[in-house]
Amino acid sequence: MTGTDAPDAGAAERGTLDKAADENFPVAPFFLPRAWRTDLMAVYGFARLVDDIGDGDLAPGGADARLLGVEPHDAEDRLVLLDAFEADLHRVFDGTPRHPLLLRLQPTVHLRSLTPEPFLGLIAANRQDQVVRRYETYDDLLAYCELSANPVGRLVLAVTGTATPERIRRSDAICTALQIVEHLQDVAEDFGRDRVYLPAADMKRFHVQEADLATNTASASVRALVAYEAQRARDLLNEGAPLVGSVHGRLKLLLAGFVAGGRAAIHAISAAEFDVLPGPPKPGKLRLLREVGLTLRGEG
């Protein structure tokens, strides 16, 4: 790394990791062992950066593109950036990556015997976002969540050494639910990016047109559709919740936080009478703590 690259590297890394505090759900809370926190933040750095590439939310100045070896004339091309990022991911497993967030990830990959597949899934999801902007059916949306959300839960289980087929199945249900909840919170923002994650078949069933998503407040039809999708997310959280009881100690508290975060977000959406168009309904801390307690007791 040259002297010119070093400031770019530091700023790019800090700018991405600083976003952890703004996430809906805890990324690497203080109560976890330090080694787990370090590894989970490394995984978060990867996931956050690939999402920022896919959403066009990289820090201005092109530092990330330069670090990935992308030519200036391609620095705004998301597919070119994703290809370069995937190439750098492969260097994590068989060489020396260029980007500092992937350098940070490399010790975690080796220590925890992580495989490329979940990371490649997250890249594939963001590549799909560039070409697929509507989903016809709920099953189509679930297939997208298999790439965009489920790998994160699988990485958490792998980092903590607790992966089993049953836990992976429960984790997938939780992660898909959290992705659906995030899509419901961000309907207006996503529509502004020309993306609609509400299945077209469900929109037709509830007599919702895309123009209805461009208003400042939701119609009765939009609210009914959001309530329907929120119930689907709630059912998935309930399906996945036994994962919490299958582990012990601080991991149990972390996983309870994921489930509780989803339930609290759904409660906030419900409290807003399913009108998500003015902005994302967010739960308060007291509600989140209440949901954590209920989840730990196997209720909710």
Side-chain angles (χ1 to χ4, degrees):
M1 180 178 297
T2 68
T4 302
D5 292 333
D8 273 359
E13 186 176 23
R14 287 192 304 274
T16 299
L17 294 178
D18 284 348
K19 296 179 182 180
D22 296 326
E23 297 292 340
N24 269 343
F25 313 107
V27 173
F30 69 92
F31 56 78
L32 292 180
R34 181 184 297 273
W36 283 6
R37 292 204 312 272
T38 298
D39 291 335
L40 290 174
M41 281 303 295
V43 168
Y44 170 80
F46 175 93
R48 180 70 269 165
L49 182 57
V50 74
D51 279 354
D52 285 349
I53 293 172
D55 290 339
D57 286 341
L58 293 176
D64 292 292
R66 286 193 296 274
L67 289 164
L68 292 170
V70 173
E71 296 295 331
H73 59 81
D74 286 328
E76 302 297 323
D77 189 320
R78 299 179 194 179
L79 288 172
V80 170
L81 286 166
L82 288 168
D83 287 347
F85 194 58
E86 182 173 327
D88 213 29
L89 170 67
H90 287 296
R91 295 185 194 101
V92 170
F93 292 88
D94 59 17
T96 302
R98 296 171 174 173
H99 198 286
L101 287 170
L102 293 180
L103 277 171
R104 173 188 283 259
L105 179 64
Q106 193 168 40
T108 295
V109 161
H110 294 316
L111 178 64
R112 307 296 181 183
S113 300
L114 303 183
T115 64
E117 283 73 25
F119 300 105
L120 290 170
L122 295 173
I123 294 173
N126 280 275
R127 197 174 275 126
Q128 184 168 313
D129 273 335
Q130 310 313 309
V131 294
V132 180
R133 297 179 178 273
R134 305 291 188 275
Y135 290 87
E136 182 62 30
T137 68
Y138 181 61
D139 285 344
D140 293 336
L141 184 64
L142 293 182
Y144 169 72
C145 292
E146 182 71 24
L147 298 173
S148 68
N150 298 0
V152 176
R154 294 183 180 208
L155 284 166
V156 170
L157 294 177
V159 163
T160 57
T162 54
T164 66
E166 177 64 9
R167 284 176 178 152
I168 288 171
R169 186 180 73 80
R170 300 284 189 185
S171 171
D172 285 352
I174 293 168
C175 290
T176 292
L178 297 182
Q179 180 77 87
I180 291 171
V181 169
E182 186 173 314
H183 288 328
L184 294 179
Q185 290 175 310
D186 294 341
V187 166
E189 179 183 339
D190 288 334
F191 190 68
R193 298 179 187 268
D194 191 28
R195 294 178 185 166
V196 178
Y197 294 102
L198 298 167
D202 296 342
M203 292 176 65
K204 182 177 181 180
R205 174 181 174 183
F206 285 90
H207 308 289
V208 172
Q209 305 291 324
E210 286 197 11
D212 298 327
L213 306 181
T215 61
N216 292 326
T217 187
S219 66
S221 295
V222 171
R223 293 177 195 231
L225 171 59
V226 171
Y228 178 71
E229 305 298 352
Q231 183 59 52
R232 280 176 153 170
R234 185 181 289 111
D235 291 343
L236 282 169
L237 285 172
N238 291 341
E239 180 184 338
L243 173 66
V244 176
S246 77
V247 299
H248 305 284
R250 287 175 279 189
L251 177 59
K252 183 172 185 173
L253 185 55
L254 175 68
L255 299 181
F258 291 152
V259 174
R263 287 172 168 166
I266 292 170
H267 180 270
I269 291 169
S270 176
E273 298 181 336
F274 303 102
D275 185 2
V276 295
L277 297 186
K282 298 284 188 179
K285 289 186 177 179
L286 286 178
R287 182 72 201 191
L288 178 59
L289 290 173
R290 179 176 182 273
E291 294 290 354
V292 169
L294 290 171
T295 301
L296 286 170
R297 293 197 297 273
E299 304 173 22

